[in-house]
Amino acid sequence: MSQPQARYLKDYQSPDFTINHVDLDFQLDPNKTRVVAKSQIKRLRKDAKVVKLDGEDLSLVSVFVNENEVTHQVITREGGIDINVDLDEFELTIVTHIDPQNNSKLEGLYVSDGAYCTQCEAEGFRRITYFLDRPDVLSTYRVRIEAPQSFPYLLSNGNPLEQGSLDNDRHYALWHDPYPKPSYLFALVAGDFDLLQDEYQTKSGRKVDLQVFVDKGNLHKAEHAMTSLKKSMQWDEQRFNLEYDLDIYMIVAVDFFNMGAMENKGLNLFNTKYVLADKASATDNDFDGIESVIGHEYFHNWTGNRVTCRDWFQLSLKEGLTVFRDQEFSSDLGSRTVNRIAAVKAMRTVQFAEDAGPMAHPIRPESVIEMNNFYTVTVYNKGAEVIRMMHTLLGEAGFQQGMALYFERHDGQAVTCDDFVAAMSDANNFDFSQFKRWYSQAGTPIVRLQEAYDDKRQSYRLTLEQATPYTADGSAKLPFHIPVDMELLDRQGNSLVTEVLNFTQEKQQWTFEGIAEKPIVSLFREFSAPVKLDYQYSQDDLVHLLKHASNEFSRWDASQALVSSSILANVKRLSKGESCQSSPQLWEALQSVLQTQALDPAFIAELMTPPTFASLMDECEPVLVDELITARQYHIDTLAKQLATELDERYHACLQQTNLSGGEAVANRALKNTCLYYLGVLTDKQELVVNQYQQADNMTDSLAALHTANEHQLHQRQQLMIDFEQKWLQTPLVMDKWFTLQGKNPNKDMLASFDALLEHSAFALANPNRVYSLIGSFANANPKHFHKLDGSGYRFLTDLLIKLNDVNPQVAARLITPLIQWQRLDETRQQLMKAELKRLQSLPNLAKDLFEKVSKSLA
Ligand code: ARG
Ligand code: ZN
């Protein structure tokens, strides 16, 4: 095989042919499934005489053009076949055989725990049949599935047409999807499941059947998913005026799934992780995750399916917008502040690092080697931030007018990000031309701030400067249009000014008159733009903002800045051979947070949670790994000691709250468990951890206790881990939590225990959830061992990636991220990491997925 090649946005060409309708016929068989695809093809470009079809890992049986078998007109090439035909319209019939049982990549048609299922986005349909596997070819589908009766449910997109029995204990089902769709939205499922049924009446009065299919014995764990689906349908009607369009909506949960879920028209496929939940086995976070992913996939029905992407460079058209929608859904249903904090953490820890690393790309990438590598935090989460900025600039009403125009213009089409922005712009008469740089320029802008206060004139002048560091993709860095949501506060904590500034130049000034004393400025309220603010607030000012900023997110932001700056100051001390120092002002501020009764307990929990290692890494250059670990731990230990009494009081107060329900109970648990985490540091409080573990009647509380025992290496840890393992050995999703704790285990001998874990009866390299839990948590959340100076952590990850390269390259490519971000580390570690990357690079059969990341990071 030749070296993988990049494809470029600038080379986009509309298709020569299109497929208006396709009839698919599946004879399911584990190793030899027969697929007959009968496509109605139409020529779009007069001079086109070759139909170039995509195909991968298929065995071709026969090709017919209008019922005539053709052989010498068919040319096989890498990545597909070419068929010579000089006709304006014809029927093309292709027969192929595929091997779902041995499809460990989990792309195309594969077998998950005995059930057949599919994953076609982005380019998996070509692993089912030869096709025009590109999103700008929209076809209606009629699908016939034939299988043994031992697979009672035979499902595909759209509406069921008929079903019946056949000889030899076989049966069939026929489906029709009337909405033209690209091949990536095709889905098929065959298996035996438990089925939860319900229905929904749309606002115009149509009845929709709702079905959630889960593994046998798990029916009770499907309730929350069903409730979430109904909430999603209602929310989309209320907030976006969008109604569901088919008579049936199906969700199937499968164990083997590379990602979270997939929005196939009328037949969503989900990772079990985002469907199955009950109080005993799922945490509050899991419940929220399910609600949000169910929402996300449902919202795709309009933003993704009814209006889809012209080409894969436009992925953010549907993903950025749909993440924005699912974030709004969660915020409208739960706490807006807590949701916003979670979204910002993802940006600051993962997305900023992506911008600073070798895979940096704009939300609309310009070149791609392996499309699966671009389902990134940049396309998804930064994409959502870009939509959110438009929302900030237009307001809710203007934004909704833009959405309405977008659907009016483009329903049933495959379009571009430019089309979306044009609708927003035209509906509001708003000039987004500079704003569009967010689509083409990668990188995290850095905003610097200067202030000048004039006593006599009582005026305050704010000067902002923006600069975006060079990124690995080399995209241009012209000034961005940055909405700066800001507030001026006086010394008493009163709000003087709130405003959204349009910051469009490299350097820009604003003057505010009638300001009686030097104010304190709060910038990027609600994280109004995905930028870094480079400004050293004094501790006093941060405490002031923590107490008085009228935006809750800004208060949290101030608390983080306060804690981070204290930790980073200690990193500096440690690097000079000095010891860490404690800051009384910090403890006072946190003490008062902990004692405030009026605040939402979930918000207090956020304010008390220490910044993650990953977010601190982003503020430290180069990253002094050992110092950072020590200084962060020092913060945790000292906070626990300084606030022992208050933590204990608050913990017990939370414990007493036994008759809360819903969001209040969740918030109470969040605060209780944050307190427990600190109390676990104190020798005389460790009893509380064990007690909570033993008495917990829900997974949130038992896992929090176990997490505390694990993080602080309590002597009871081992015993609790064994107890948990025995209790949950047969529940894979819960074992994932156990594997995650093992991956994060700070114990000095942890790496030695890894071989046994890889051999554990509940572990399987072929299952992405297991791999992400054990290996992902190690590589991303165990800095002490992953970054060990003898290189053993890097070597261990690489050994695994080599195995995964053969089994499931897409999963391997997702896990490699921390290794390719070596640029941020010290010289010694850089060398060690690069040596491992070179080891990967020299593999004779390195998959495209890893090839792209390895070669970019070594370039
Ligand atoms: N569209 C799916 C979702 O957001 C994700 C599909 C991921 N596919 C992939 N090949 N990485 O919700
Ligand atoms: Zn999506």
Side-chain angles (χ1 to χ4, degrees):
M1 208 174 96
S2 52
Q3 189 144 311
Q5 296 296 310
R7 282 174 292 168
Y8 296 86
L9 168 59
K10 64 172 167 42
D11 294 340
Y12 172 82
Q13 285 190 333
S14 62
D16 290 349
F17 294 88
T18 195
I19 300 173
N20 289 326
H21 176 79
V22 58
D23 285 282
L24 292 169
D25 187 290
F26 288 84
Q27 304 280 336
L28 293 178
D29 179 87
N31 296 111
K32 201 177 180 185
T33 287
R34 180 185 162 91
V35 184
V36 182
K38 195 177 280 188
S39 300
Q40 307 305 321
I41 301 200
K42 196 174 166 200
R43 177 152 64 185
L44 299 177
R45 193 165 291 145
K46 202 75 207 114
D47 56 349
K49 296 186 173 66
V50 185
V51 190
K52 297 173 191 286
L53 300 174
D54 307 296
E56 191 185 293
D57 278 358
L58 302 169
S59 53
L60 181 60
V61 178
S62 53
V63 180
F64 296 80
V65 172
N66 290 335
E67 329 237 292
N68 307 314
E69 180 154 12
V70 293
T71 41
H72 50 273
Q73 282 154 260
V74 180
I75 296 145
T76 310
R77 58 167 166 84
E78 198 177 305
I81 53 173
D82 294 344
I83 305 170
N84 294 306
V85 237
D86 192 359
L87 296 169
D88 287 331
E89 274 182 51
F90 57 98
E91 182 177 274
L92 177 68
T93 306
I94 295 183
V95 183
T96 46
H97 285 157
I98 50 181
D99 183 357
Q101 185 74 61
N102 287 309
N103 180 357
S104 63
K105 293 183 177 175
L106 314 185
E107 241 192 314
L109 178 68
Y110 63 94
V111 178
S112 167
D113 228 4
Y116 291 91
C117 63
T118 53
Q119 170 57 36
C120 294
E121 188 179 1
E123 299 177 327
F125 192 75
R126 64 189 60 185
R127 295 167 57 78
I128 293 175
T129 186
Y130 289 101
F131 206 70
L132 295 177
D133 189 14
R134 44 187 291 168
D136 55 357
V137 170
L138 307 183
S139 330
T140 53
Y141 282 64
R142 198 203 313 256
V143 180
R144 186 178 178 282
I145 309 166
E146 198 183 306
Q149 300 269 12
S150 54
F151 296 83
Y153 292 105
L154 305 177
L155 314 174
S156 192
N157 316 85
N159 299 313
L161 287 187
E162 63 177 73
Q163 51 183 310
S165 327
L166 300 164
D167 292 346
N168 302 324
D169 289 326
R170 291 174 75 81
H171 68 148
Y172 76 96
L174 193 61
W175 292 81
H176 175 241
D177 183 359
Y179 291 94
K181 65 169 177 291
S183 52
Y184 81 88
L185 289 173
F186 166 78
L188 174 155
V189 171
D192 194 4
F193 301 96
D194 274 349
L195 168 59
L196 181 64
Q197 301 213 60
D198 206 331
E199 57 183 56
Y200 180 79
Q201 179 149 24
T202 69
K203 65 173 182 173
S204 70
R206 281 188 317 103
K207 180 177 93 63
V208 181
D209 286 322
L210 308 180
Q211 305 189 323
V212 179
F213 296 86
V214 294
D215 275 352
K216 290 251 160 206
N218 284 299
L219 203 58
H220 63 291
K221 292 191 184 177
E223 292 286 348
H224 179 65
M226 182 63 89
T227 309
S228 302
L229 175 59
K230 288 188 281 181
K231 287 180 178 169
S232 307
M233 296 178 89
Q234 194 170 32
W235 181 85
D236 217 12
E237 290 179 351
Q238 288 169 349
R239 176 111 183 241
F240 278 80
N241 196 26
L242 296 171
E243 209 176 309
Y244 187 60
D245 52 7
L246 287 165
D247 302 332
I248 179 167
Y249 194 93
M250 296 171 283
I251 289 174
V252 181
V254 297
D255 286 323
F256 286 70
F257 206 73
N258 283 341
M259 318 275 294
M262 181 63 213
E263 70 264 24
N264 317 302
K265 184 81 188 187
L267 177 56
N268 288 181
L269 263 103
F270 270 66
N271 188 323
T272 44
K273 181 176 161 57
Y274 292 108
V275 174
L276 302 179
D278 65 5
K279 210 174 105 183
S281 67
T283 63
D284 295 333
N285 258 328
D286 294 332
F287 276 89
D288 286 350
I290 290 169
E291 184 181 86
S292 125
V293 178
I294 294 266
H296 180 96
E297 307 310 332
Y298 177 74
F299 304 142
H300 267 317
N301 190 53
W302 279 95
T303 51
N305 302 2
R306 290 288 289 254
V307 183
T308 194
C309 302
R310 185 193 72 173
D311 56 77
W312 289 118
F313 300 100
Q314 317 293 330
L315 180 60
S316 202
L317 172 81
K318 74 178 177 81
E319 294 303 345
L321 178 55
T322 305
V323 170
F324 170 77
R325 276 153 51 70
D326 85 52
Q327 289 176 350
E328 284 301 291
F329 170 59
S330 299
S331 301
D332 283 348
L333 266 57
S335 157
R336 180 161 289 272
T337 303
V338 169
N339 276 290
R340 193 64 190 131
I341 290 169
V344 174
K345 280 183 181 167
M347 287 297 296
R348 287 186 177 155
T349 54
V350 198
Q351 202 281 322
F352 285 4
E354 188 158 84
D355 266 343
M359 278 293 288
H361 53 279
I363 64 167
R364 182 185 57 209
E366 247 126 61
S367 86
V368 161
I369 293 179
E370 169 52 60
M371 191 53 214
N372 286 328
N373 283 341
F374 288 83
Y375 288 75
T376 58
V377 273
T378 299
V379 167
Y380 274 62
N381 301 60
K382 187 176 179 181
E385 294 301 325
V386 171
I387 302 289
R388 185 172 295 281
M389 288 190 280
M390 289 190 238
H391 185 272
T392 302
L393 293 168
L394 300 173
E396 169 72 5
F399 185 82
Q400 291 299 348
Q401 276 166 28
M403 290 298 297
L405 184 60
Y406 174 62
F407 291 120
E408 192 184 307
R409 285 180 178 173
H410 301 299
D411 188 12
Q413 300 175 8
V415 304
T416 63
C417 297
D418 288 335
D419 293 320
F420 178 81
V421 181
M424 283 291 153
S425 171
D426 295 347
N428 291 278
N429 212 348
F430 191 98
D431 183 1
F432 279 112
S433 39
Q434 183 184 353
F435 183 87
K436 281 173 75 174
R437 288 178 188 158
W438 287 107
Y439 282 90
S440 57
Q441 300 182 171
T444 312
I446 295 176
V447 175
R448 294 201 176 79
L449 139 75
Q450 280 165 32
E451 301 174 282
Y453 179 68
D454 187 331
D455 262 327
K456 275 190 227 98
R457 296 209 177 118
Q458 303 221 320
S459 83
Y460 168 79
R461 197 181 66 209
L462 177 68
T463 308
L464 297 180
E465 268 183 88
Q466 55 167 305
T468 304
Y470 169 84
T471 52
D473 70 326
S475 52
K477 308 295 177 217
L478 300 167
F480 286 96
H481 180 170
I482 300 175
V484 185
D485 187 346
M486 53 85 73
E487 176 175 39
L488 296 179
L489 296 150
D490 71 12
R491 299 280 143 185
Q492 286 68 52
N494 300 308
S495 181
L496 304 173
V497 173
T498 59
E499 203 175 316
V500 177
L501 310 175
N502 281 290
F503 177 25
T504 54
Q505 265 122 69
E506 231 168 87
K507 184 171 183 174
Q508 208 169 329
Q509 288 191 340
W510 294 265
T511 307
F512 300 87
E513 309 289 350
I515 309 288
E517 58 178 345
K518 183 174 188 290
I520 295 163
V521 64
S522 161
L523 288 171
F524 300 108
R525 289 153 29 101
E526 207 70 6
F527 195 66
S528 66
V531 304
K532 284 188 202 178
L533 178 62
D534 179 15
Y535 179 68
Q536 286 300 318
Y537 279 100
S538 67
Q539 280 212 345
D540 282 343
D541 286 357
L542 288 175
V543 171
H544 193 78
L545 291 174
L546 167 57
K547 284 199 176 128
H548 302 295
S550 50
N551 179 257
E552 279 193 344
F553 169 80
S554 297
R555 300 175 62 186
W556 173 80
D557 209 16
S559 80
Q560 291 291 293
L562 197 58
V563 175
S564 299
S565 66
S566 153
I567 293 174
L568 294 171
N570 281 331
V571 168
K572 234 187 221 141
R573 290 189 188 103
L574 288 167
S575 73
K576 289 190 281 187
E578 299 164 16
S579 50
C580 292
Q581 279 176 29
S582 163
S583 145
Q585 218 182 349
L586 175 59
W587 313 129
E588 265 166 48
L590 293 178
Q591 179 187 41
S592 102
V593 165
L594 201 50
Q595 290 178 319
T596 312
Q597 299 303 321
L599 284 180
D600 172 10
F603 182 47
I604 301 183
E606 291 294 350
L607 292 169
M608 298 301 296
T609 301
T612 58
F613 184 84
S615 75
L616 291 164
M617 252 176 115
D618 195 68
E619 297 183 58
C620 187
E621 230 207 277
V623 181
L624 304 172
V625 175
D626 308 288
E627 290 83 351
L628 204 49
I629 292 170
T630 309
R632 184 170 177 275
Q633 192 59 46
Y634 172 85
H635 169 76
I636 294 164
D637 294 348
T638 317
L639 191 159
K641 283 178 208 136
Q642 292 286 336
L643 304 182
T645 317
E646 294 80 1
L647 287 164
D648 192 63
E649 267 171 30
R650 199 80 215 227
Y651 177 77
H652 284 97
C654 289
L655 219 48
Q656 241 100 78
Q657 303 270 350
T658 48
N659 46 17
L660 300 177
S661 63
E664 284 185 342
V666 171
N668 187 63
R669 277 193 286 272
L671 178 53
K672 178 179 68 186
N673 291 326
T674 305
C675 294
L676 185 70
Y677 174 79
Y678 289 109
L679 291 167
V681 172
L682 310 168
T683 330
D684 61 327
K685 298 290 177 198
Q686 289 170 358
E687 205 57 15
L688 295 175
V689 179
V690 179
N691 287 346
Q692 174 165 324
Y693 177 83
Q694 283 162 353
Q695 280 154 30
D697 66 351
N698 64 83
M699 181 53 73
T700 306
D701 285 344
S702 46
L703 191 66
L706 200 54
H707 167 72
T708 300
N710 190 52
E711 287 288 295
H712 306 318
Q713 292 291 295
L714 305 194
H715 67 87
Q716 301 95 330
R717 172 196 179 272
Q718 180 72 352
Q719 176 209 329
L720 299 185
M721 287 294 280
I722 291 171
D723 180 88
F724 192 90
E725 176 191 14
Q726 286 170 351
K727 189 161 172 208
W728 296 107
L729 198 56
Q730 304 305 328
T731 314
L733 287 177
V734 182
M735 284 307 286
D736 284 343
K737 302 176 190 308
W738 187 84
F739 283 122
T740 301
L741 293 178
Q742 297 288 15
K744 294 199 291 190
N745 187 2
N747 186 284
K748 64 174 174 34
D749 300 320
M750 71 90 57
L751 212 51
S753 69
F754 247 95
D755 286 338
L757 289 166
L758 293 172
E759 297 297 318
H760 194 285
S761 66
F763 187 81
L765 204 63
N767 185 296
N769 288 357
R770 302 301 95 77
V771 174
Y772 295 143
S773 300
L774 184 62
I775 320 299
S777 69
F778 169 73
N780 295 298
N782 195 340
K784 189 166 147 193
H785 292 285
F786 178 63
H787 292 297
K788 215 163 171 165
L789 259 183
D790 62 2
S792 54
Y794 306 142
R795 205 173 319 125
F796 170 76
L797 177 64
T798 307
D799 288 344
L800 258 147
L801 294 177
I802 290 173
K803 288 187 195 150
L804 279 166
N805 178 59
D806 295 329
V807 179
N808 189 333
Q810 199 178 324
V811 170
R814 290 183 84 197
L815 282 177
I816 202 179
T817 302
L819 199 59
I820 63 173
Q821 293 176 350
W822 52 265
Q823 304 79 356
R824 310 195 284 172
L825 290 136
D826 52 85
E827 188 55 36
T828 315
R829 288 184 171 93
Q830 289 196 5
Q831 294 309 331
L832 291 165
M833 293 169 100
K834 282 196 270 188
E836 296 302 330
L837 289 165
K838 286 187 184 135
R839 188 149 72 90
L840 279 169
Q841 197 176 34
S842 70
L843 285 185
N845 59 339
L846 190 66
K848 250 169 52 147
D849 315 56
L850 282 176
F851 170 84
E852 177 166 40
K853 294 194 172 185
V854 171
S855 56
K856 282 182 180 168
S857 89
L858 289 175

